[in-house]
Amino acid sequence: MANFNKVILAGNLTRDPELKYTSKGTAIASFGMAINRKWKSETGETKEEVTFVDIDAFARQAEVVSQYFKKGRPILIEGRL
């Protein structure tokens, strides 16, 4: 059986990315995102659900995220679990 592990998330940053470096010099950016979902219930009432996800980016991507993204900015992430 083949394996497949891919995730695409679109949401807003909940905090500024925190950039750190490992002892070997690899950059790691840690940040959170909020993904909102709106739907109508069976009674017609509009409901909303928020999912919070913690994300780590590595190497050059970490440096770019840290440089250009701040709290509240929309972001699209593609990665794996």
Side-chain angles (χ1 to χ4, degrees):
M1 172 183 248
N3 296 313
F4 186 73
N5 184 0
K6 186 173 187 174
V7 175
I8 300 172
L9 300 171
N12 295 316
L13 291 178
T14 60
R15 61 183 185 272
D16 290 341
E18 181 181 336
L19 185 64
K20 294 182 180 179
Y21 290 90
T22 64
S23 58
K24 292 185 177 184
T26 303
I28 300 175
S30 299
F31 56 95
M33 27 178 332
I35 300 117
N36 298 325
R37 174 182 170 235
K38 292 182 183 180
W39 75 95
K40 288 197 177 200
S41 67
E42 296 169 354
T43 61
E45 179 184 4
T46 301
K47 296 195 172 196
E48 185 173 355
E49 174 184 75
V50 181
T51 302
F52 296 97
V53 179
D54 291 325
I55 298 173
D56 292 325
F58 298 91
R60 179 70 181 134
Q61 283 183 337
E63 293 171 342
V64 170
V65 166
S66 176
Q67 182 178 0
Y68 292 107
F69 289 91
K70 301 294 178 205
K71 179 180 177 178
R73 296 276 314 263
I75 190 168
L76 179 91
I77 300 291
E78 180 180 335
R80 62 182 172 87
L81 290 178

